[in-house]
Amino acid sequence: MFTDWQEALEAESLPLNPNHEQQLAAAARVTAHHSHDRDDLAELLDAMGLPHDDTTLTALLPLTESGDASTMTTTTAPPLSAHAAMAISMHNNGDGADTIREATGLSETELHDLIADQVLGLPTTLAVPVSTEIQELLDWAGSHSLAGIRSRAARITADLTELSERRETEATQREAEQKVAKLKAELEAAQEQLRTAKAGARTANTGTATAPTPIRSGLGSGRSKDELAEIRAWARKNGHTVANAGIVRKEILDAFDTAHPGAGRQGQLTMGDAIALDGFLDEETVPGDLHGSTARFRLTVSPTDERTDEMILPCSVADPELAHRVLHELVPGDQLHVTGYLRLPRTPDEPMWLIVTTLAVLETAPLLSDPTAVATAVLERYGPYVCYFDADTPEVEVFTETGKPVGTAAEPNGIGQLLEAFEQRQAAGGE
């Protein structure tokens, strides 16, 4: 749609008929596509009144269905026709495929094969050994007079060459990976020999004939290979992440010891040394792992009425069923009877705790008469004593477990002094 009438008039004045020479060339190319050989092409051109001299026939011969038999027997490719040369020149100048086909009369396949053969320079010989028959076939196709057959042979040769190079690359990569794996295995063996040699040197320096009893650290030293393998298998079964070799983390070793009490390891009492204790739950219980299959709590143990004998003992439970009861049924202030095995510290930074195997509630913590009501007063256990806190006053009334009054502290911070004075009076009176 023109908006300027002058441009419209100029467009109407343009000639619509194509150049006569282009029409004759296009007719000759179409005729060549439907001819069988050189003689057939010459007869058809003569019948249509088109030029049929030797130069024209040589240029159009590659467009025939079978080509020139005499040319096919030669070992070198025929020279490019004028149209093919023109197509290559236009391609190098950046012209599009549609423009080239319109100017030269070549089909899309012919133009593609011509560019692949003359411009892209695909290889015509294989860099990989093949059978004699395949090589002869590729040589024949590579020297064919038709550009389509030559370009097909070039593409096949390029594909086979690429596959051969990729196979060699992958083989080289696999060989390098095998060498790396072998070197890693040798390095691990050398490191194991070095550790063994260092252990032997330490044994020799002590001057003892037998190996010293190893002291376990958080890295798993002092464990035999069989025991470490057992620990790794247990850790994977219970959701822990552990390497196939090397260091075993301290928390995994501690969790394994907690789950397998009484195995006779250093720093832990044996199965025959189980102990029983009574005490009060000091505070809320907490899970020992992410899954809640273990539990931990602190027990306030007071074997006598003397506060100097009172002790807070950390406890752990490895049995999942017992751990569930500890986490969901116990509340601070419950009086408990526990049995288990005492795990002694092996290093200065490790605590001592009791691995609980059985647990019974001797007495539950006292509750308010109406737990659902707004709490204005609270009863809390303070070891073997019960303290009454009233929200309306800072004073705290203290009683024994039997309900005998101990006294009243002016504020919560004075409970300790009140109990100490009460115990001194009890000791002086012989009670």
Side-chain angles (χ1 to χ4, degrees), residues 234 238 240 255 286-296 317-318 320 323 327:
W234 174 87
N238 289 270
H240 298 282
V286 295
D289 54 21
L290 296 177
H291 308 288
S293 59
T294 61
R296 300 174 60 188
V317 178
L327 294 173

Side-chain angles (χ1 to χ4, degrees), residues 21-71:
E21 295 180 359
Q22 293 182 357
Q23 288 183 337
L24 295 179
R29 289 194 296 272
V30 173
T31 303
H33 282 299
H34 293 81
S35 61
H36 300 289
D37 51 25
R38 185 185 185 91
D39 296 335
D40 187 23
L41 176 60
E43 293 177 0
L44 290 175
L45 294 176
D46 184 31
M48 297 181 62
L50 298 174
H52 56 281
D53 54 278
D54 292 340
T55 302
T56 303
L57 292 177
T58 301
L60 296 176
L61 189 59
L63 303 178
T64 61
E65 293 183 0
S66 59
D68 189 1
S70 61
T71 307

Side-chain angles (χ1 to χ4, degrees), residues 253-278:
L253 296 176
D254 293 340
F256 178 82
D257 292 342
T258 302
H260 300 78
R265 299 180 180 88
Q266 180 180 356
Q268 180 175 310
L269 300 180
T270 61
M271 291 293 292
D273 297 323
I275 60 175
L277 294 174
D278 292 343

Side-chain angles (χ1 to χ4, degrees), residues 279-286 296-301 311-316 326 332-334 336:
F280 298 93
L281 187 61
D282 183 65
E283 56 189 6
E284 293 285 347
T285 59
V286 295
R296 300 174 60 188
F297 60 92
R298 298 201 306 175
L299 193 67
T300 301
V301 180
M311 172 181 66
I312 296 179
L313 179 63
C315 301
S316 64
V326 169
D334 287 346
L336 308 178

